[in-house]
Amino acid sequence: MSSHALLLVNRHARQGQKRYEEAINCLHQLGLKIITESTENPTQLGELIRHYQQEINLVIVGGGDGTLNAAVEAIVDTQLTLGILPLGTANDLARTLGIPNSIPQACEIIANGKLRRIDLGSVNGKYFFNVASLGLSVNITQQLTKEIKQRWGILAYAAIAFQVIWKSRPFSAEIQIHGESTLVKTVQIAVGNGRYYGGGMAIVHDAAIDDQRLDLYSLEIDHWWQIIPLLPAMREGKHINWPNVRALQGQEITVYTRKPHSINTDGEITTHTPATFRVIPQAITVLVPA
């Protein structure tokens, strides 16, 4: 891989500040010429990528899924190769791509890995790597503060989820796919592009980030306690086989609700219903294990 790279680190990521120097030293030892930039505001990542695009052909993003999502639009526009340093709490995109959380191992993949074209999801024009969802996950995101993630790490997802689940109430939605319309009463609709989300849960057991499809599930339970037996199956994406889970697949899906519902894309609330979800096949190039 060419050695001209821009390294962007979100210092608010769970390990961002602590692992920053280690990452720089490791990449230098592997022979990469690095331009380093760090920011406390992920919304500035796209501006930095566009500023340096003529000097580089590789963007290395250090952070979690939210940081990667903040950079994705500029990466699509510039078509620069993406290298990933998993420095966040969940690191679901890295998990999907087989990139370990170890900084030396992740740096080795950036220096000597192989190129892989991957799909992106899009909802109302907003890109996402992993999943876009409405319902329970939005409530979890709203309560999952940076302080809680910094303190509890991956356990924060489970702790907040249990607090949210027992307060959950079903809502009505209309799902349109393949020209057919389905009315549902649900507590969550999730539309996945990749495999993992929410700290290691699988959207569907056979989902892949380059399968050129979106995978939707709708969690249609009446009482909060009905989700408890589902949780182990959700780790492997096998919850879609349960009778109170609806599973659909397609390249374009539209969801309507009676009143606007917020939508969470890769851990950030970015848009709302009505929402049209699309898959963008082979949208960007990422470095993955050889």
Side-chain angles (χ1 to χ4, degrees):
M1 186 68 211
S2 171
S3 59
H4 294 84
L6 172 64
L7 172 62
L8 299 170
V9 173
N10 174 13
R11 295 196 177 188
H12 278 317
R14 188 162 188 259
Q15 303 178 67
Q17 184 67 40
K18 184 171 67 174
R19 310 300 295 278
Y20 184 53
E21 294 297 331
E22 180 187 357
I24 292 173
N25 293 336
C26 188
L27 291 165
H28 278 205
Q29 288 172 9
L30 288 164
L32 278 75
K33 296 176 182 177
I34 304 294
I35 299 170
T36 59
E37 289 278 2
S38 66
T39 178
E40 295 185 356
N41 183 0
T43 61
Q44 297 174 343
L45 295 179
E47 182 181 332
L48 289 167
I49 291 168
R50 292 183 176 94
H51 176 77
Y52 287 105
Q53 64 179 303
Q54 300 302 324
E55 303 174 46
I56 59 171
N57 52 16
L58 170 63
V59 177
I60 304 167
V61 178
D65 294 300
T67 305
L68 285 157
N69 187 278
V72 67
E73 185 174 336
I75 291 169
V76 172
D77 291 347
T78 60
Q79 283 298 296
L80 293 162
T81 296
L82 173 64
I84 298 172
L85 288 177
L87 301 177
T89 304
N91 300 314
D92 285 308
L93 177 60
R95 190 191 308 263
T96 291
L97 296 172
I99 299 170
N101 287 341
S102 159
I103 294 299
Q105 288 178 300
C107 289
E108 176 66 28
I109 290 166
I110 291 167
N112 299 308
K114 69 177 181 180
L115 299 174
R116 179 179 175 186
R117 295 292 290 185
I118 65 170
D119 306 337
L120 289 174
S122 169
V123 53
N124 293 349
K126 173 64 181 173
Y127 294 118
F128 61 93
F129 287 104
N130 304 319
V131 73
S133 55
L134 58 150
L136 285 177
S137 65
V138 170
N139 297 331
I140 292 169
T141 296
Q142 288 170 333
Q143 295 190 39
L144 198 62
T145 64
K146 287 175 182 163
E147 292 75 21
I148 290 174
K149 288 198 287 187
Q150 289 278 359
R151 182 172 183 180
W152 296 104
I154 199 72
L155 294 176
Y157 283 84
I160 296 297
F162 276 110
Q163 292 179 31
V164 166
I165 286 166
W166 75 273
K167 297 179 183 177
S168 65
R169 298 291 181 272
F171 61 92
S172 298
E174 178 184 353
I175 302 170
Q176 290 187 356
I177 184 169
H178 303 313
E180 297 183 1
S181 182
T182 303
L183 297 176
V184 301
K185 193 172 184 182
T186 183
V187 296
Q188 168 147 304
I189 295 172
V191 179
N193 170 60
R195 179 173 176 81
Y196 293 108
Y197 73 104
M201 293 188 293
I203 188 78
V204 177
H205 68 280
D206 64 345
I209 202 165
D210 55 4
D211 58 12
Q212 301 187 21
R213 77 176 195 225
L214 297 175
D215 295 286
L216 176 148
Y217 77 78
S218 172
L219 192 54
E220 298 168 15
I221 58 174
D222 299 313
H223 307 286
W224 69 268
W225 47 263
Q226 290 175 298
I227 200 174
I228 303 301
L230 274 171
L231 293 176
M234 294 179 83
R235 300 297 295 181
E236 298 180 2
K238 295 183 177 178
H239 54 290
I240 62 166
N241 299 323
W242 288 59
N244 48 7
V245 179
R246 185 186 308 270
L248 300 167
Q249 296 177 349
Q251 292 188 317
E252 182 173 321
I253 302 167
T254 303
V255 175
Y256 299 95
T257 53
R258 190 174 293 114
K259 62 179 182 179
H261 277 249
S262 297
I263 293 177
N264 167 6
T265 53
D266 291 340
E268 305 291 331
I269 296 169
T270 54
T271 185
H272 55 77
T273 55
T276 298
F277 304 80
R278 295 184 175 92
V279 65
I280 316 296
Q282 298 188 345
I284 63 171
T285 301
V286 185
L287 281 159
V288 299

